C-alpha cells in the first residue's frame, strides 16, 4: 500500500504539472500592471499609460503622462478619488512644488539626520520618507511580465520626474541630499535626455532602463541644463526603505506630477467653518466642504531655514489662512542617545477677518507603510481572525494601547462597493471603531502600525483636561482587492477631528504634533511618549502575543550572541544549542522512555496476541506492564510541550523583531538566505510552476526554498532512526500517517522564515547526535528492533560504554 501511494503521488503531480503547463502555453498569463515606485511614473509591468489607468481602475480624471502638467490645470493634477474642482482662473493657481529635508547619507557626524522626507505643495502633504540607516533597505518586489521579481536594481533617488516634450526628456523636480543623483550633481530643473547612452523621453523609459541596473553600478546620465548638454556620472546605490510612500490600490507607485495615487500622508481640510460643514453623504475619505479644495490645491510653500518647510493657503470666503509647517529632527552631538526619527507638524488657522469665526479641522495620518513580504508574512493581534499587515494603532488616556484590525474594515468596504455596483442598498457602516474623545479621555497617540515599522502622531498637549480633539477614526484607502490573500495589504490611515473652536478677530488656533516615523525597536519606541503622561510611550507597538514572556528573553539572548559573533544566523544556532543544553535532562528522559518502550515491545506484542478479542483485559494488562517497569507513556511528550513555547517565542521574534529583518546568513554579498525573517528564496521558479503553487498567493510561493526541505528531511530521518517498530497493523498505519503528515506539514510551512528553519535544523541535528550517544538497547529491545523472532547479541551498557569487552576480559581471567 505504501509503495503504491509513493508511486501515485509523483505521477499525479507530474500529470497535474503537464496539464498546467499546456494551459499556460495555450493561454499565457497577461502581465499585471503594478507600480513599485522607482524613478518613473510606472513600472515595467505597467508598460504604458493605459496600463496605469487600468491598474488605477480608471478612477478620477485622466492624466496625460506624456507631457508636463500645466500650471493651474486642476483637473489634470487632481488626486484620484477626490471630488473634481470647479473651473477656476488658471492664473490664480500655483505650480506644484517639491521640497526635500534631511539626507539619506549614513547618519553620523557628516549627516545629522535619520531620514529624507519629500514634501509636495499639493495638499501640503508628505510624499514619502526614506530612512538613512543602511540597516533598513528596500526588500519589496513586484510582478513583471507575469513573474515575481525582487527590487534589486540600482537606486538613483526620488526625482519627482515629469515628461518634458520641449526638452525631449524627464524634468527633475526634486533632488534629495545624499542620494546618488545629488552626489552626481543632478539639479532641480535638469532634463534627463539619456541614460547610459539610451534616450529617455518619458519617466517610463527612464525607469525601464533603471530596472536593468544593479546597485554599485556606475551609469552616465546626459542632462540638458540652461540650453546646454552635460554628462554626469552617477554611482547607483541600494534602495533605502521608504516607510511612507504613495500607493494605488495596495500597490506602491511613484506619484510625480502626473501620477495617480491614493491620498498622500498628513492631508488637512476644514471639517466645519461657521455654518458650512462637510456633507454627511460626502465620500468619507476625500470629502470636503463645497468649494474648498485644501486636499488637492497647491499651497504656497517655502523653506524655513535648513530643517523646516512651511505651507500656507488662504481661504477668502471666510478670510482665514491655514498654515502647515514641518520641522525635521536633528541628531544632537551633545545628546547622542536622543532619537531623531520624527518630524514636528505645526497646524495653525489664522483669522484675518474683523469678526469671529468658528472652525474645526480634520487631519489625516500617514499612508503607504511597507507591506514587503506580504505573500509570506503574518501578523498577530489580540483579536481573533485574519490580521492585515497595516493597522491603526491608538491609545487614549486611561486605556491600554489598542490596535484596530483593518481586515473587517476592508471587508465592509468591499461589500459596500459590491452592493453599489449591483444597484443594491449599501450595508450600514459600522461606527464601532470610531473613538470619541473628551477632556478626561484625551488621545495620547494614533497612527499606522506595520509589521516592522510605524508612523504615529503624538499630540503635544501639555495641559491635562484640555483636549483639542473630538474623535479619531480608522480609514481604509483605495480599492479593496477581491482576493482575500491580497486584502491583507490594504492601505489604512487614521483621521483626527478637532473640536469646534471660536476664533476671535485676528486670533488663531495652533496645534502641534510629533510624528514618529521609524523602526519598531523597543529601546527607540520607549523614548517617544505623550506629554500628558511620559509613562505612556510607543513601546506597546511591539506585540508578541501570549508568548511574549518567551520572546523577549530570546531576543535578548540573540542580541547577546550577535554582539559576539556579528551574525544572526550563527546567533540562532548558538541559541538552539543553549536551549537544548538547558533541556538535556528532559530530552534524556524522553530518550530513555523511548528506549524502555522498545524494550517492552515484545511483551506488549504478546499481550496484544493474548487478548486480541478482549480490549478491556488488553488495556489492564498493558497498564500493569507499564506499572511494573515504571514506564510513563506521557514521558516522551514532555519535551514537545516544553519546546512548543520556545518554538512559538522564536517564531514571534522573527515576525516582530526588526533587527532580524534584512539579517543575512552568509553576508550581504549572497542573495540566498539574505533575510532570516523571510524564506531563504533559493531559486525563483515562478515562471515554471503553475500559479496555484508558485504565485505569491500559491501554496508554495514564487521561490524554491531549501531550508524547509532540509528540515522535513531531518524530521523523517529522526522518525526512521528512533521510531519503535510496529507491534500490529494499527501501529504500522499510524507510523505511515505520521510520515505523510510530516510531508504535509512541510508543504504548509514551506514559506516559513529561514531563521526558524535554522532553529529546527540545528535542534534536529542535536537530537540525532544526542540519541546516537545514549547507551544502546539491551537484548530484548534489540530483538524487537531486528524485526525477527531471534535475539541479537547486543552489549549491555557498562561503565566505559563497552560492556561486551568487559565480559570478554572476565572470561579470559577464568
Amino acid at each position: 500500500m505504501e509503495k503504491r501511494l509513493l508511486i501515485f503521488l509523483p505521477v499525479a503531480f507530474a500529470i497535474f504539472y503537464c496539464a498546467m503547463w499546456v494551459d499556460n502555453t495555450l493561454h499565457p498569463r497577461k502581465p499585471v500592471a503594478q507600480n513599485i515606485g522607482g524613478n518613473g511614473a510606472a513600472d515595467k509591468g505597467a508598460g504604458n499609460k493605459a496600463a496605469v489607468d487600468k491598474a488605477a481602475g480608471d478612477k478620477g480624471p485622466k492624466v496625460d503622462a506624456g507631457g508636463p502638467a500645466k500650471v493651474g490645470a486642476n483637473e489634470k493634477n487632481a488626486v484620484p478619488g477626490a471630488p473634481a474642482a470647479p473651473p477656476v482662473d488658471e492664473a490664480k493657481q500655483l505650480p506644484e512644488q517639491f521640497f526635500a529635508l534631511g539626507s539619506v547619507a549614513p547618519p553620523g557626524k557628516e549627516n545629522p539626520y535619520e531620514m529624507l522626507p519629500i514634501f509636495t505643495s499639493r495638499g501640503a502633504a508628505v510624499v514619502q520618507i526614506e530612512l538613512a540607516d543602511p540597516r533598513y533597505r528596500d526588500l519589496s518586489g513586484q510582478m513583471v511580465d507575469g513573474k515575481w521579481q525582487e527590487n534589486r536594481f540600482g537606486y538613483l533617488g526620488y526625482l519627482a520626474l515629469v515628461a518634458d516634450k520641449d526638452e525631449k526628456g524627464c524634468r527633475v523636480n526634486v533632488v534629495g541630499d545624499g542620494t546618488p543623483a545629488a552626489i552626481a550633481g543632478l539639479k532641480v530643473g535638469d532634463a534627463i535626455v539619456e541614460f547610459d547612452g539610451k534616450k529617455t523621453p518619458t519617466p517610463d523609459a527612464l525607469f525601464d532602463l533603471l530596472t536593468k541596473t544593479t546597485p554599485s553600478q556606475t551609469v552616465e546620465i546626459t542632462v540638458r541644463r540652461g540650453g546646454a548638454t552635460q554628462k554626469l556620472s552617477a554611482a547607483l546605490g541600494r534602495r533605502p526603505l521608504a516607510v511612507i510612500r504613495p500607493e494605488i490600490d495596495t500597490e506602491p507607485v511613484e506619484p510625480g506630477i502626473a501620477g495617480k495615487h491614493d491620498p498622500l500622508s498628513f492631508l488637512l481640510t476644514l471639517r466645519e467653518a461657521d455654518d458650512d460643514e462637510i456633507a454627511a453623504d460626502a465620500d468619507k475619505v476625500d470629502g470636503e466642504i463645497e468649494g474648498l479644495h485644501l486636499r488637492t490645491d497647491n499651497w504656497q510653500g517655502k523653506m524655513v531655514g535648513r530643517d523646516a518647510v512651511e505651507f500656507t493657503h488662504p481661504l477668502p470666503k471666510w478670510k482665514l489662512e491655514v498654515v502647515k509647517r514641518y520641522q525635521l529632527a536633528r541628531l544632537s552631538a551633545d545628546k547622542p542617545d536622543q532619537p531623531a526619527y520624527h518630524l514636528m507638524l505645526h497646524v495653525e488657522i489664522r483669522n484675518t477677518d474683523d469678526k469671529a469665526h468658528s472652525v474645526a479641522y480634520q487631519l489625516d495620518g500617514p499612508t503607504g507603510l511597507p507591506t514587503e513580504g506580504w505573500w509570506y508574512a503574518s501578523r498577530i493581534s489580540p483579536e481573533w481572525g485574519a490580521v492585515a499587515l497595516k493597522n491603526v494603532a491608538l491609545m487614549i488616556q486611561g486605556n491600554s494601547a489598542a490596535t484596530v484590525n483593518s481586515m473587517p474594515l476592508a471587508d465592509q468596504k468591499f461589500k459596500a462597493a459590491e452592493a453599489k455596483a449591483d444597484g443594491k442598498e449599501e450595508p450600514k457602516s459600522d461606527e464601532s471603531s470610531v473613538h470619541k474623545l473628551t477632556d478626561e479621555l484625551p488621545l495620547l497617540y494614533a497612527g499606522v502600525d506595520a509589521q516592522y515599522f510605524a508612523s504615529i502622531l503624538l499630540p503635544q498637549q501639555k495641559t491635562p483636561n484640555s483636549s483639542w480633539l473630538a474623535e479619531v477614526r480608522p480609514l481604509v484607502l483605495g480599492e479593496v482587492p477581491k482576493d482575500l490573500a491580497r486584502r491583507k495589504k490594504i492601505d489604512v490611515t487614521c483621521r483626527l477631528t478637532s473640536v469646534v473652536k471660536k476664533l476671535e478677530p485676528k486670533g488663531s488656533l495652533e496645534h502641534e504634533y510629533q510624528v514618529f516615523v521609524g523602526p519598531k525597536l523597543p529601546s527607540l519606541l520607549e523614548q517617544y511618549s505623550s506629554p500628558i503622561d511620559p509613562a505612556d510611550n510607543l513601546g506597546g507597538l511591539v506585540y508578541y502575543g501570549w508568548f511574549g514572556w518567551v520572546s523577549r528573553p530570546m531576543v535578548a539572548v540573540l542580541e547577546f550572541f550577535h554582539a559576539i559573533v556579528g551574525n544572526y544566523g550563527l546567533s540562532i544556532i548558538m541559541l538552539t544549542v543553549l536551549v537544548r543544553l538547558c533541556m538535556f535532562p528532559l530530552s534524556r528522559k524522553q530518550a530513555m522512555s523511548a528506549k524502555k518502550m522498545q524494550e517492552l515491545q515484545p511483551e506488549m506484542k504478546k499481550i496484544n496476541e493474548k487478548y486480541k478479542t478482549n480490549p478491556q483485559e488488553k488495556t489492564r494488562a498493558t497498564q500493569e506492564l507499564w506499572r511494573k517497569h515504571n514506564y510513563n507513556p506521557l514521558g516522551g511528550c514532555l519535551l514537545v510541550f516544553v519546546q512548543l513555547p520556545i518554538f512559538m517565542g522564536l517564531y514571534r521574534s522573527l515576525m516582530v523583531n526588526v533587527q532580524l529583518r534584512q539579517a543575512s546568513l552568509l553576508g550581504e554579498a549572497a542573495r540566498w538566505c539574505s533575510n532570516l525573517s523571510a524564506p531563504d528564496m533559493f531559486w525563483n521558479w515562478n515562471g515554471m510552476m503553475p500559479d496555484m503553487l508558485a504565485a505569491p498567493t500559491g501554496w508554495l510561493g514564487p521561490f524554491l526554498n531549501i531550508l524547509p526541505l532540509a528540515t522535513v528531511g531531518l524530521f523523517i530521518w529522526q522518525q526512521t532512526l528512533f521510531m519503535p517498530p510496529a507491534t500490529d497493523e494499527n501501529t504500522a498505519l499510524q507510523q505511515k500517517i505520521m510520515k505523510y503528515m510530516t510531508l504535509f506539514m512541510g508543504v504548509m510551512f514551506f514559506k516559513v522564515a529561514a531563521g526558524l528553519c535554522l532553529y529546527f535544523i540545528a535542534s534536529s541535528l542535536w537530537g540525532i547526535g544526542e540519541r546516537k550517544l545514549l547507551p544502546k538497547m539491551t537484548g530484548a529491545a534489540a530483538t524487537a528492533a531486528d524485526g525477527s523472532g531471534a535475539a541479537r547479541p547486543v552489549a549491555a551498557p557498562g561503565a566505559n560504554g563497552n560492556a561486551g569487552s568487559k565480559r570478554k576480559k572476565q572470561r579470559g581471567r577464568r
Side-chain angles (χ1 to χ4, degrees):
M1 175 65 180
E2 183 177 7
K3 291 182 179 178
R4 285 181 298 192
L5 184 59
L6 290 176
I7 295 173
F8 169 76
L9 288 175
V11 170
F13 178 79
I15 295 173
F16 173 76
Y17 177 78
C18 291
M20 294 299 297
W21 180 83
V22 171
D23 181 68
N24 289 339
T25 303
L26 298 177
H27 306 91
R29 292 171 286 180
K30 295 181 180 179
V32 181
Q34 297 180 4
N35 201 309
I36 59 169
N39 291 288
D43 72 340
K44 185 179 178 182
N48 51 40
K49 172 183 172 290
V52 178
D53 288 341
K54 184 178 180 181
D58 292 326
K59 301 182 302 175
K62 299 293 183 182
V63 179
D64 183 8
K70 294 181 181 179
V71 174
N74 229 32
E75 313 85 48
K76 291 186 179 182
N77 294 312
V79 175
V88 292
D89 183 2
E90 292 193 1
K92 295 181 180 179
Q93 293 301 298
L94 298 172
E96 184 167 15
Q97 297 173 283
F98 289 87
F99 300 88
L101 299 178
S103 175
V104 288
K109 293 181 180 179
E110 301 297 326
N111 173 32
Y113 304 103
E114 293 282 7
M115 62 184 79
L116 171 64
I118 304 292
F119 307 88
T120 175
S121 61
R122 187 162 302 281
V126 172
V127 178
Q128 73 174 30
I129 297 180
E130 295 176 333
L131 298 185
D133 195 323
R135 291 179 298 174
Y136 310 122
R137 297 303 188 194
D138 185 77
L139 302 179
S140 61
Q142 83 286 346
M143 295 293 289
V144 176
D145 297 332
K147 184 176 180 180
W148 181 261
Q149 177 176 302
E150 293 180 276
N151 296 338
R152 286 291 187 123
F153 50 85
Y155 167 73
L156 183 61
Y158 180 86
L159 305 175
L161 296 171
V162 61
D164 190 328
K165 289 182 178 179
D166 295 334
E167 300 288 353
K168 298 181 180 179
C170 304
R171 181 72 62 182
V172 175
N173 286 286
V174 68
V175 180
D177 184 69
T179 62
I183 297 171
L186 208 62
K187 296 182 179 180
V188 174
D190 287 349
I192 301 176
V193 295
E194 287 186 4
F195 184 89
D196 253 4
K198 296 181 176 61
K199 301 291 184 181
T200 56
T202 64
D204 287 352
L206 176 58
F207 179 71
D208 187 64
L209 294 173
L210 192 64
T211 57
K212 296 178 174 62
T213 64
T214 59
S216 73
Q217 179 178 339
T218 300
V219 296
E220 188 178 78
I221 302 174
T222 304
V223 301
R224 189 168 287 119
R225 180 185 300 168
T229 300
Q230 297 186 23
K231 291 187 180 295
L232 306 174
S233 180
L236 302 179
R238 178 88 183 272
R239 282 179 69 102
L241 175 75
V243 175
I244 289 177
R245 66 182 303 175
E247 285 191 4
I248 178 70
D249 302 337
T250 74
E251 297 299 333
V253 298
E254 179 92 356
I257 292 179
K260 287 189 173 183
H261 52 82
D262 296 331
L264 296 177
S265 298
F266 310 115
L267 292 171
L268 178 142
T269 190
L270 293 186
R271 179 73 183 181
E272 295 183 29
D274 295 337
D275 295 332
D276 296 314
E277 62 178 331
I278 298 177
D281 59 347
D283 185 271
K284 290 186 177 180
V285 174
D286 300 312
E288 291 196 74
I289 296 174
E290 185 177 358
L292 194 63
H293 308 286
L294 286 173
R295 296 171 62 90
T296 56
D297 277 353
N298 283 321
W299 297 37
Q300 178 66 55
K302 65 177 182 179
M303 294 289 294
V304 182
R306 184 182 176 185
D307 299 335
V309 58
E310 183 176 281
F311 299 96
T312 58
H313 195 295
L315 304 176
K317 180 179 179 179
W318 302 278
K319 293 185 179 180
L320 300 173
E321 187 178 48
V322 185
V323 180
K324 288 172 72 177
R325 183 169 59 252
Y326 298 91
Q327 176 100 24
L328 180 61
R330 295 170 63 101
L331 292 168
S332 174
D334 300 333
K335 300 178 180 178
D337 296 333
Q338 185 173 345
Y341 282 95
H342 65 275
L343 300 162
M344 299 304 297
L345 171 56
H346 183 84
V347 175
E348 183 178 358
I349 302 177
R350 300 168 182 165
N351 182 7
T352 60
D353 199 359
D354 293 331
K355 64 178 183 179
H357 295 281
S358 297
V359 298
Y361 68 84
Q362 61 184 29
L363 174 66
D364 290 355
T367 63
L369 270 74
T371 54
E372 58 189 22
W374 62 270
W375 53 276
Y376 62 80
S378 62
R379 294 202 63 189
I380 53 175
S381 170
E383 305 172 1
W384 291 99
V387 182
L389 291 180
K390 294 184 285 190
N391 299 290
V392 173
L394 57 90
M395 187 174 187
I396 299 173
Q397 190 177 24
N399 301 330
S400 57
T403 301
V404 180
N405 186 6
S406 305
M407 287 296 283
L409 300 175
D411 295 340
Q412 179 186 358
K413 185 174 181 178
F414 180 76
K415 291 176 182 177
E418 275 194 326
K420 186 177 181 180
D422 296 338
K424 300 178 182 178
E425 183 180 355
E426 297 183 32
K428 188 177 181 181
S429 62
D430 183 11
E431 298 291 330
S432 60
S433 58
V434 179
H435 296 264
K436 301 295 183 181
L437 306 172
T438 64
D439 287 344
E440 291 75 25
L441 298 173
L443 179 71
L444 301 183
Y445 66 75
V448 179
D449 173 36
Q451 187 168 11
Y452 297 112
F453 301 91
S455 182
I456 307 293
L457 287 156
L458 296 100
Q460 298 301 288
Q461 176 186 330
K462 298 179 174 59
T463 306
N465 302 325
S466 61
S467 175
W468 67 60
L469 295 173
E471 71 174 30
V472 56
R473 66 170 63 212
L475 293 176
V476 174
L477 307 175
E479 296 294 330
V480 179
K482 185 176 182 180
D483 187 352
L484 291 176
R486 294 178 183 271
R487 195 170 296 178
K488 66 179 181 180
K489 299 168 55 182
I490 194 72
D491 195 14
V492 296
T493 189
C494 61
R495 173 166 290 171
L496 312 181
T497 303
S498 73
V499 298
V500 179
K501 182 176 180 180
K502 184 177 181 180
L503 299 182
E504 298 298 333
K506 309 303 179 183
S508 66
L509 169 156
E510 295 185 60
H511 296 158
E512 194 169 40
Y513 300 86
Q514 186 181 44
V515 183
F516 169 80
V517 183
K520 290 166 59 175
L521 287 168
S523 58
L524 174 64
L525 295 174
E526 290 169 1
Q527 298 185 65
Y528 286 92
S529 59
S530 170
I532 298 177
D533 188 353
D536 293 325
N537 55 53
L538 302 183
L541 297 178
V542 179
Y543 178 72
Y544 292 104
W546 295 347
F547 295 93
W549 57 277
V550 179
S551 298
R552 291 183 179 89
M554 291 186 72
V555 169
V557 174
L558 268 178
E559 292 298 330
F560 172 77
F561 287 141
H562 182 261
I564 298 174
V565 299
N567 183 287
Y568 277 105
L570 292 177
S571 301
I572 291 175
I573 295 174
M574 294 170 69
L575 173 66
T576 308
V577 172
L578 177 63
V579 169
R580 293 305 301 254
L581 279 173
C582 293
M583 293 194 302
F584 178 73
L586 293 177
S587 60
R588 186 177 185 279
K589 186 175 181 180
Q590 181 195 36
M592 298 304 292
S593 177
K595 174 175 172 291
K596 185 172 290 187
M597 180 63 180
Q598 288 180 328
E599 293 176 348
L600 296 178
Q601 285 294 324
E603 296 295 329
M604 293 180 64
K605 190 172 183 179
K606 292 179 182 178
I607 293 174
N608 289 334
E609 299 231 349
K610 183 177 181 181
Y611 301 105
K612 186 180 297 184
T613 59
N614 193 341
Q616 293 182 348
E617 283 297 319
K618 181 171 69 173
T619 302
R620 185 194 62 78
T622 302
Q623 292 178 347
E624 181 64 29
L625 176 67
W626 289 348
R627 191 162 39 249
K628 178 180 177 181
H629 292 275
N630 195 26
Y631 171 72
N632 182 7
L634 299 179
C637 303
L638 186 60
L639 185 66
V640 176
F641 285 115
V642 172
Q643 283 202 86
L644 181 61
I646 296 173
F647 156 70
M648 291 302 300
L650 182 61
Y651 176 73
R652 296 286 170 81
S653 301
L654 292 169
M655 294 297 103
V656 174
N657 188 13
V658 69
Q659 297 281 48
L660 291 172
R661 175 197 173 273
Q662 200 181 320
S664 176
L665 176 63
L666 303 177
E668 288 293 327
R671 292 287 296 275
W672 177 70
C673 207
S674 59
N675 181 9
L676 290 175
S677 64
D680 60 271
M681 304 183 194
F682 175 73
W683 177 49
N684 189 335
W685 61 6
N686 181 245
M688 302 179 61
M689 301 287 284
D691 282 350
M692 189 179 73
L693 297 177
T697 56
W699 292 353
L700 304 179
F703 290 91
L704 169 63
N705 303 312
I706 298 298
L707 294 182
L709 299 179
T711 303
V712 172
L714 284 172
F715 283 169
I716 295 176
W717 187 24
Q718 277 186 297
Q719 291 178 357
T720 304
L721 286 176
F722 306 124
M723 187 178 291
T727 56
D728 52 30
E729 292 184 359
N730 291 333
T731 308
L733 180 61
Q734 290 175 3
Q735 292 180 357
K736 291 177 183 178
I737 292 174
M738 286 183 64
K739 289 182 180 180
Y740 298 135
M741 283 298 296
T742 302
L743 292 173
F744 176 73
M745 293 299 289
V747 173
M748 292 293 294
F749 292 96
F750 192 73
K751 295 185 283 189
V752 77
L756 196 63
C757 288
L758 281 180
Y759 170 79
F760 280 131
I761 290 171
S763 181
S764 297
L765 291 175
W766 177 281
I768 291 172
E770 192 177 73
R771 291 288 293 272
K772 286 288 187 180
L773 294 175
L774 284 175
K776 296 188 179 296
M777 295 181 292
T778 58
T783 303
D786 181 67
S788 62
R792 290 183 299 173
V794 178
N800 61 355
N802 191 353
S805 300
K806 187 175 181 180
R807 285 177 185 154
K808 289 179 182 179
K809 293 179 181 178
Q810 289 174 348
R811 283 196 297 266
R813 292 193 189 100
R814 291 172 188 166

